[in-house]
Amino acid sequence: MDKVKAAKELVQEALAQSQNPCFTCSFQAEDVVVLHLLLEAKPEIPVLFLDTGYHFPEVYAYRDEMQKKLGFRLINLTPALSREEQERLYGKLYETDPSRCCGLRKVEPLFAALEAYDTWFTGLRREQSPTRANLKPLEEAILPSGHCLKKVSPLWDWTLKEVFAYLAVQDLPYLPLYDQGYLSIGCAPCTAKPLDPSDPRSGRWAGKGKLECGIHLHGKEG
C-alpha cells in the first residue's frame, strides 16, 4: 500500500476511536508531515510544543512561521523553572546531567499535559535511531501516574527521503537547520551534526552515551 495512503488511514482510524487526541510536535521534518496529515482530518487538534528555553532561534522562528501558515492550535508547554532559574539553582545541567535536564524541561511538562488526552500522535520513525528500530504504528503509553494513552506513529516505516518528498509535493517549507547538515534537532546545547551518517541521532548529547530524552522510553508495545 502507498505509504501516504496508509498513514492517512491510520490517522483517520485513530481519530475515529479517540475522544481527546493530541500531537507532540518538535517541528522537525517528520513532525510537519504528521501535522499536515492531522490538520486535514482534524483541524482543531491540540499541537503540543515542548518549549524548553534552549531551542535554536531557527526553531522558534519556524514554529511561528508554520503556525501562521497552517493556523493550527499551538500549545507551548513550559517547565516549572525558567531557564535562568534552573541554571541559578543547578548550573548548566545539560553539561553535567543531561538526563536530569531533559527530565525537568521535557519529560515532566509533557507527561503532566498528556494526562488530559487519550491518544498521542507522534512523528517517530524506525529509521531515526537504533532505540526506535522496533517501533510499532500503534503502541500503548503508560505515564508514571498510571494513565494510559494510545500512541500513534503514522510515519513509523517512512525514510527521511520519503518525508522530504512529501514536504516537496505539498509545498511545505522545512526547518532551515537541515541545510546546515543537522538531521536530528533538539535543544541547541545538546545538538550537533551527526557523528555517524547512518544514525541521525548520533549528534544528540554527543559523547554522553545518550540517544533519547526520556519522553518515549515508557509503556509497552500495543
Side-chain angles (χ1 to χ4, degrees):
M1 181 185 292
D2 174 79
K3 287 187 179 180
V4 173
K5 181 180 179 182
K8 286 184 176 183
E9 289 183 357
L10 180 59
V11 164
Q12 291 167 354
E13 290 170 4
L15 286 174
Q17 299 171 21
S18 172
Q19 297 296 317
N20 296 296
C22 70
F23 171 48
T24 49
C25 185
S26 67
F27 294 97
Q28 295 186 74
E30 46 274 291
D31 281 357
V32 176
V33 172
V34 177
L35 175 62
H36 189 255
L37 295 173
L38 284 167
L39 292 177
E40 286 184 335
K42 192 175 182 67
E44 71 278 14
I45 190 168
V47 178
L48 311 183
F49 174 72
L50 287 167
D51 188 354
T52 65
Y54 285 108
H55 289 294
F56 288 94
E58 292 91 339
V59 172
Y60 289 114
Y62 178 70
R63 174 201 63 184
D64 295 344
E65 174 191 352
M66 295 305 292
Q67 201 283 326
K68 184 175 181 180
K69 179 180 179 69
L70 300 177
F72 50 85
R73 181 184 169 195
L74 177 65
I75 299 176
N76 292 308
L77 303 180
T78 56
L81 296 174
S82 70
R83 171 177 171 168
E84 293 75 21
E85 288 170 336
Q86 178 174 300
E87 291 187 3
R88 188 164 58 250
L89 286 171
Y90 306 118
K92 295 180 178 179
L93 281 178
Y94 56 81
E95 293 180 348
T96 61
D97 192 348
S99 292
R100 187 180 183 195
C101 190
C102 289
L104 291 171
R105 310 204 72 75
K106 290 185 174 183
V107 180
E108 291 181 6
L110 177 61
F111 284 5
L114 288 177
E115 294 285 345
Y117 303 103
D118 63 5
T119 302
W120 172 17
F121 286 91
T122 84
L124 296 179
R125 296 182 298 110
R126 284 185 171 182
E127 187 192 53
Q128 289 169 331
S129 170
T131 57
R132 299 176 181 181
N134 296 318
L135 177 72
K136 302 291 193 302
L138 292 173
E139 298 178 340
E140 182 180 41
I142 305 174
L143 302 183
S145 66
H147 179 62
C148 296
L149 304 92
K150 181 181 293 184
K151 188 174 180 181
V152 187
S153 301
L155 308 189
W156 65 284
D157 61 345
W158 285 40
T159 65
L160 188 60
K161 183 177 180 180
E162 290 167 332
V163 167
F164 276 98
Y166 182 95
L167 295 179
V169 168
Q170 299 297 330
D171 194 27
L172 292 168
Y174 56 82
L175 188 59
L177 290 168
Y178 286 105
D179 288 335
Q180 298 180 31
Y182 294 96
L183 293 179
S184 180
I185 302 159
C187 293
C190 297
T191 299
K193 296 169 187 177
L195 303 174
D196 176 0
S198 67
D199 180 3
R201 289 179 70 83
S202 63
R204 303 286 291 275
W205 306 284
K208 296 184 172 65
K210 180 177 169 66
L211 287 176
E212 297 285 351
C213 67
I215 63 176
H216 296 300
L217 299 176
H218 59 84
K220 62 183 180 181
E221 296 177 354

